[in-house]
Amino acid sequence: DGGITQSPKYLFRKEGQNVTLSCEQNLNHDAMYWYRQDPGQGLRLIYYSQIVNDFQKGDIAEGYSVSREKKESFPLTVTSAQKNPTAFYLCASSIRSVGVGQGNEQFFGPGTRLTVL
Amino acid sequence: QKEVEQDPGPLSVPEGAIVSLNCTYSNSAFQYFMWYRQYSRKGPELLMYTYSSGNKEDGRFTAQVDKSSKYISLFIRDSQPSDSATYLCAMSDNDMRFGAGTRLTVKP
């Protein structure tokens, strides 16, 4: 089955810890994205990557880091510098990135709920 | 003013009703319009994808785009309890922007 997987489903972090959220896709999509979802707010873009070994900051990148060493994988690290990390994190992918015409619709993984203890 | 405005609801309708969900936007450069359905504690699922103005129908769902008014709609006919979810509008040109979502409950 083609799709996007995220792990873990639930994650708990202590103050001062870095944690890494996994995102894998087998759709052969070039572009991948990380969003944060908070109650009553739209999805906010953290980072995106259009191609391997390249990524760009989104609207709320502070306190987060990413890597894109393989086309299939786009892990997100929530660092201790992120002051309010409790949220639902969503990974998405698209055939191409936005602005390149058709094929920019995004497909989402099941999400990871991160809670700071 | 937010780039994309969507009434958060909640919206509650009886089974079989026609549901109308709407978003307005301010960026006239948006050309691609999407509707996602998100069940509780799950990732959003793409429902409809349209390009520019006009209507698109898929089963019980109809997406409508009016670029002159900067207004998009999703209509659900013969609504079912399984349609109970949060519906997110999204639109893009060079950047993708999402609405905050409307929570819909369809009561049996």
Side-chain angles (χ1 to χ4, degrees), chain A residues 51-102:
Chain A
I51 197 168
V52 173
N53 292 322
D54 183 65
F55 47 83
Q56 307 295 329
K57 291 183 180 180
D59 300 317
I60 54 164
E62 186 175 350
Y64 300 97
S65 65
V66 293
S67 63
R68 186 88 186 274
E69 297 176 1
K70 298 187 297 181
K71 188 175 184 177
E72 309 80 43
S73 178
F74 192 40
L76 173 74
T77 297
V78 184
T79 75
S80 56
Q82 170 49 237
K83 298 305 178 189
N84 185 23
T86 294
F88 191 48
Y89 289 87
L90 288 160
C91 179
S93 69
S94 65
I95 296 174
R96 290 178 289 276
S97 68
V98 294
V100 188
Q102 297 243 345

Side-chain angles (χ1 to χ4, degrees), chain B residues 16-27:
Chain B
I18 296 174
V19 176
S20 173
L21 303 166
N22 312 293
C23 288
T24 59
Y25 62 94
S26 57
N27 186 350

